[in-house]
Structures are given as structure tokens and as C-alpha cells.
Amino acid sequence: MSVTRRHLLASGAGLAVAAGVQQGASAADLPTAGTCDVVVIGSGAAGMTAALTAAKQGLSVVVLEKAPTFGGSAARSGAGIWIPNNPVLLAAGVPDTPAKAAAYLAAVVGPDVPVARQQAFLTQGPAMISFVMANSPLRFRWMEGYSDYYPELPGGLPNGRSIEPDQLDGKILGAELAHLNPPYLAVPAGLVVFSADYKWLALSAVSVKGAAVAAECLARGTKAALLGQTPLTMGQSLAAGLRKGLLDAGVPVRLNTPLTELYVENGTVAGAVTPAGLYRARRGVIVGSGGFEHNAAMRAQYQRQPIGTAWTVGAKENTGDGIRAGQRLGADVALMDDAWWGPAIPLPDEPYFCLAERTLPGGLIVNAAGRRYVNEAAPYSDVVHTMYDRDPTDPDIPSWLVVDQNYRNRYLFKDVAPTFVLPDDWYSSGAAHKAWTLDALATSIGVPGAALRATVDRFNSLALKGDDADFGRGDSAYDHYYTDPGVFPDSCLAPLWLPPYYAFRIVPGDLGTKGGLRTDARARVLRPDGSVIPGLYAAGNASAAVMGHSYAGAGSTIGPAMTFGYIAARDIAGVL
């Protein structure tokens, strides 16, 4: 029997209300697919961490995953993890303290997020990392030098707090490896690459260290091949390591099992309805089903225009199922207007999330008027916030990243090596333009030629001085992460002087939405009046982010997702 929304409403109990929670169908109306202590919705970083935590507290657990693969958006990502004072950082000698971390997070987040939630994240995050390392094959590396995004704020660290998974052999998963969600960007064959390597790989043609890092990546790949391994890094390593922990703990992950409704019994959320039937939960349900980035109607309802589903790199199954199911039970939501934004180039196959490309010296971003309007090297979420804030009066969507041939001769662009020609379909799709003069480039992208020439001239004069007096590019330590240390006097500023010139279409992309079910410091889902919906928890992008409208550092998505999954499971187990 297949259970659908129609079946639920037809049951006659679909609109009943118990203790302020909308009542779903009675158990008699639904075939039982399974019963356990905890039902987890979603197999991303939040869901798998929650499931592993619950299992290690002696609870029986099942993970329900909508996709035919496990790992969600986390498996697609670079898997940076931002958690202050974690044991990996302290072992590496990072000078972090609880006081510094609290001051910094408060300065970044502001009043948007209750202090109790901030403190829960800061307190439980380090313990979560220790727990994951003790109960899975995952090990982590400090991303040395990847600055906090606002290092000048109180408690900020210019050398960074972010960590990432160490290399893992995918063969430890056996046949389950075939079900791992593939990465957003595949690592070149024969190489083993960490997130922290990419800044140097972009410079491999012009930097001794860049060339050395490229050689190291090749050496790692060669070693893994000789050992007969399937090397995984970044999000692939994170998802595989968590999945291995679940395998060893005997936790099943049911793929192709989407959530249809949350099941309520006696006013408490007591299970999840799927097309396969009802999965009953004796102790609680944890929603870790991701955001709503691929739900066009929700994006149109909650977010600013222009918006859509074509510019996100989040997992395609993220259509807000868990958020909507919670709302139907009276749950409150927050931050629905926001996302983990970043400038993206809408390439023909999928959007490309720009990190190094907009920061490297020799490039600038202009709007429809041909003018600069932002520090191109600022944290990526800030750049898109600026695009939207200014767009109604001075159109900044789309914008254009303008570079010259000198830039193209020096730096990797996405996966196109220096001096190599860009793919033809980049041009035919309108994502890229090329011309031998700035006037011709302006005509091609539809901006005023005189304004573009004046903007480039002004930018060049500032770059030669090494001081962006207009937008402060280079003022923050963060601005210098994805830059060229061989460029003086400022590593992220260089003039454009060598034709031909290139322009790349820039739109507001994202890693996923950051609004969702409002939760408390124990990851319990709340109603608008602040009361708790019994039995219902949320973590990850299905919940409103602890980062509020800001972004503390690389991994501000995954770090809190794992932490609040850990918190939810421990609260259910009664050990928080």
C-alpha cells in the first residue's frame, strides 16, 4: 500500500487537533514500516551525526533518505567545519578560547539568534567532534590560514578556526560506496585534493608553493593507487566516514524513502509517514532533511527576486519537505528570506560557485551600469546581500566579473588551466564573453562602454597603489586568502592591461537555504508562541541557522548542522 497526502486527508483524522498539534492519520490507517526509538529524516551531515549519536546512547535508530544516495549537500561540499575550540584546533596550537569564540560569534550574529543557542553550539561543538572521531573512522585537519570571515571583530582569528575531513579510503564502505552522493566538483583523476589545497592549485602556474602543492596532490593520488585504495576527501570523506560509523553501529539508512507527513499521537510527534508506510518513533523524530533551495514556490514566497532553483548547488532533493511538514503541525520558521549565498556563474551544466576567481588580482565585478559596487573579496554571502540590497535602484543582478588575458595566463579558472581556452558552451550560453577592447566587451554584455572604461581605469590606479580606497578590498585578512602572494603591493589587487578581456555573468548562487524550523538550544522545534512541539527536533538547513543572517567562517553550515544533530540526539536520550 502506498501512503500519500490524499490517503491521510481521506482518513478523516487528518484535520484533528491534539494538544495544539495537527493530528495525522491514526496508526490503524497506516501500514507500519518499522518501529524504533528515534527516526531521523535525512542522511546529510546533520542527520547522520544525529543518528550516530542516538545509536551510541543505546537507542534504536533508522535514517530515512529521500534520495537514491546518502550524504545530501554535505557529500557535494568542500566540507569545511567551523567549530571553535575543537580538539583538532587545540592540538594544532590554534590560540582559541571559549571567551574569544563567544565574543566573536556574538559580534557576527548579533541579536538575530538567542544567546542560549549560540552557547549551546559553542559548548557542544567540540564534544561533537571528539564523539565523531571516537565513533567513526573520520579524522580532521586544520585548514591553516583560512581566516575567519571577519577576523577584525573581537575574538576573530586571522589564521582561522575551520577544519576539514582527512583522507579516507572509500573501500571501507564496501558495496555501500556506490550509494554515496557524488561531489559538486569532481577531483581531477589521479589527484587527492583537500579543500585547503585549492587556493594553491589556482596559483600552481605562478607560485612555487602552488606547484609544490600540486605535486603533493599527485603524490597522494599515486600512493593511494599503489595501495589499491579509493581515496576520498572533503564532503565525500565526511559523508563516507559518518556512513561507516552508522554501518558499524547497525543503523539502517533507507534510501528512496521521502517524508510525506509527520505522525502525531496524543499531541506528540511519534513517527514519520513515507510511501512505504509509517515509521514509528518511541522517543522522537529529528528532521535533518535540508533546505528548500530546489522548491521554486517556496523561494518565490519567501525570498527576494530575481530568484529560482537554477543557481543553487544544493542537493536537488532539497525541496523543503521537512520544513513544510513541521509547518503543518504549527511550527514556527525563521530566516526564510536568507541563504548561504555566494556569487555564481550560471554555466550550461550547473552553476559554478565562485571563490578564488572573484578575489584573485586582475579582476573586478561591475553591475549593469558598468560600475563597481562591492569589495569583490568580501565574504561570499556579503557580496550577494549587497547585490540584492542595491538591485531595486541600481541593477546588480546579473553582475559581471571582468578580467584580462594576464589573469587568464596566470590562474586556474574553475577547472580550466591557465592559458587554456574556455569551453565553447560557456560563450554560447552567455555565461562568458570575450573581446579585444573594453568597449567591445561592454557592448557584448550590455553595459555602457564609457562607464566600463572609466571603472577599469579607476580600478587600475587603485591597484597600482595597492589601496582600494573605494571598497576596501584587501583591508581584511580574509580578503587575502584566495589571492596571489607574488603580487605587490597588495596581493588581491592588480591592474587589467592585457587584451583580450573576459566577462563572466554573476548571479546570486547559494550552497543551500538557511531558513527553516525555529528551534531552541536543545534543537527542539518551537511554535510561534515559543512553546515546544513535543517529540520534534530539527538540525542543519531544515532549521533556522544559528549563524543568523551572517557567516562566521568556512564551515558555518556543516559545523552547526552536525552539532545540533548531536544535541538533538542527546536530548532525546536524556543525557544533554
Side-chain angles (χ1 to χ4, degrees):
M1 176 180 176
S2 175
V3 179
T4 66
R5 175 71 171 161
R6 180 174 58 81
H7 286 118
L8 287 174
L9 293 177
S11 72
L15 298 180
V17 176
V21 179
Q22 282 194 314
Q23 181 75 49
S26 69
D29 298 320
L30 303 171
T32 299
T35 300
C36 57
D37 294 322
V38 181
V39 173
V40 176
I41 311 299
S43 66
M48 287 199 285
T49 303
L52 183 61
T53 306
K56 291 300 180 178
Q57 290 299 325
L59 302 178
S60 57
V61 190
V62 66
V63 178
L64 308 181
E65 171 54 55
K66 176 182 183 180
T69 56
F70 69 86
S73 293
R76 291 170 54 79
S77 74
I81 298 172
W82 194 86
I83 294 178
N85 291 296
N86 73 67
V88 178
L89 294 179
L90 299 181
V94 176
D96 203 2
T97 67
K100 285 182 183 177
Y104 177 68
L105 188 61
V108 169
V109 173
D112 292 334
V113 177
V115 172
R117 283 195 73 213
Q118 297 179 43
Q119 284 300 321
F121 166 62
L122 294 173
T123 301
Q124 297 296 325
M128 181 276 294
I129 290 294
S130 295
F131 167 82
V132 167
M133 289 195 294
N135 292 282
S136 80
L138 280 167
R139 298 295 178 267
F140 300 95
R141 303 157 53 101
W142 176 36
M143 299 172 71
E144 184 176 4
Y146 204 147
S147 171
D148 284 343
Y149 287 177
Y150 307 96
E152 290 77 28
L153 291 179
L157 296 184
N159 226 17
R161 292 178 163 101
S162 302
I163 61 175
E164 64 172 310
D166 209 338
Q167 182 178 335
L168 200 65
D169 182 7
K171 289 187 175 178
I172 62 173
L173 285 180
E176 190 64 13
L177 179 61
H179 299 132
L180 174 61
N181 200 20
Y184 155 57
L185 289 177
V187 173
L191 302 183
V192 172
V193 181
F194 295 107
S195 279
D197 294 330
Y198 273 106
K199 67 166 287 185
W200 294 109
L201 292 179
L203 305 174
S204 58
V206 295
S207 162
V208 172
K209 182 167 182 178
V213 169
E216 185 178 354
C217 293
L218 178 59
R220 291 191 208 114
T222 302
K223 180 179 178 181
L226 290 173
L227 293 174
Q229 297 177 344
T230 301
L232 302 176
T233 57
M234 297 181 281
Q236 296 287 280
S237 175
L238 179 63
L242 289 172
R243 184 68 184 93
K244 175 60 173 171
L246 295 183
L247 284 171
D248 292 345
V251 176
V253 176
R254 308 292 188 213
L255 303 177
N256 298 298
T257 307
L259 172 70
T260 302
E261 293 285 350
L262 292 165
Y263 173 72
V264 178
E265 190 170 84
N266 299 321
T268 298
V269 176
V273 181
T274 76
L278 170 64
Y279 285 85
R280 296 185 63 104
R282 288 183 288 259
R283 303 284 290 270
V285 175
I286 303 173
V287 178
S289 52
F292 59 93
E293 56 265 26
H294 284 282
N295 186 319
M298 290 182 74
R299 299 206 81 153
Q301 177 183 357
Y302 291 109
Q303 300 186 323
R304 289 187 280 184
Q305 296 293 331
I307 195 62
T309 61
W311 298 338
T312 181
V313 300
K316 64 181 183 296
E317 292 82 9
N318 291 348
T319 54
D321 301 355
I323 299 170
R324 288 180 292 138
Q327 287 179 296
R328 288 192 288 270
L329 298 187
D332 195 16
V333 293
L335 302 175
M336 298 292 280
D337 61 320
D338 216 339
W340 303 100
W341 301 114
I345 302 173
L347 298 178
D349 51 347
E350 64 179 348
Y352 176 64
F353 196 90
C354 277
L355 290 174
E357 291 82 4
R358 65 188 169 83
T359 300
L360 287 163
L364 68 156
I365 292 177
V366 300
N367 61 11
R371 301 188 184 95
R372 286 182 76 208
Y373 62 92
V374 70
N375 167 14
E376 296 87 351
Y380 33 90
S381 57
D382 287 355
V383 175
V384 172
H385 280 143
T386 301
M387 292 175 77
Y388 274 120
D389 289 345
R390 290 170 41 94
D391 192 64
T393 56
D394 192 6
D396 299 322
I397 304 172
S399 294
W400 300 94
L401 171 62
V402 178
V403 305
D404 70 347
Q405 189 61 45
N406 179 55
Y407 174 107
R408 283 293 303 120
N409 289 345
R410 295 174 63 85
Y411 309 124
L412 182 75
F413 197 101
K414 188 178 180 279
D415 54 359
V416 181
T419 74
F420 279 51
V421 297
L422 301 173
D424 289 341
D425 62 358
W426 289 21
Y427 294 112
S428 61
S429 69
H433 295 253
K434 177 182 176 181
W436 285 91
T437 67
L438 288 173
D439 281 332
L441 187 70
T443 299
S444 184
I445 63 176
V447 307
L452 182 61
R453 276 189 282 108
T455 296
V456 172
D457 286 345
R458 169 68 177 171
F459 180 82
N460 287 352
S461 68
L462 297 174
L464 289 170
K465 296 175 184 176
D467 180 13
D468 180 13
D470 293 344
F471 296 99
R473 178 168 165 181
D475 290 354
S476 171
Y478 172 77
D479 295 358
H480 293 272
Y481 182 70
Y482 286 111
T483 57
D484 184 349
V487 170
F488 297 96
D490 188 307
S491 67
C492 63
L493 293 171
L496 287 69
W497 58 272
L498 182 64
Y501 299 95
Y502 301 81
F504 300 92
R505 185 180 177 92
I506 298 291
V507 297
D510 65 72
L511 302 170
T513 49
K514 66 158 54 174
L517 302 173
R518 189 163 68 90
T519 57
D520 65 7
R522 292 159 59 181
R524 300 178 300 178
V525 175
L526 305 175
R527 301 184 184 94
D529 65 2
S531 61
V532 171
I533 296 181
L536 185 60
Y537 296 77
N541 287 354
S543 64
V546 73
M547 294 293 159
H549 289 289
S550 197
Y551 212 133
S556 290
T557 307
I558 293 178
M562 296 175 71
T563 300
F564 281 102
Y566 173 79
I567 288 171
R570 286 175 59 82
D571 192 69
I572 290 173
V575 296
L576 188 62

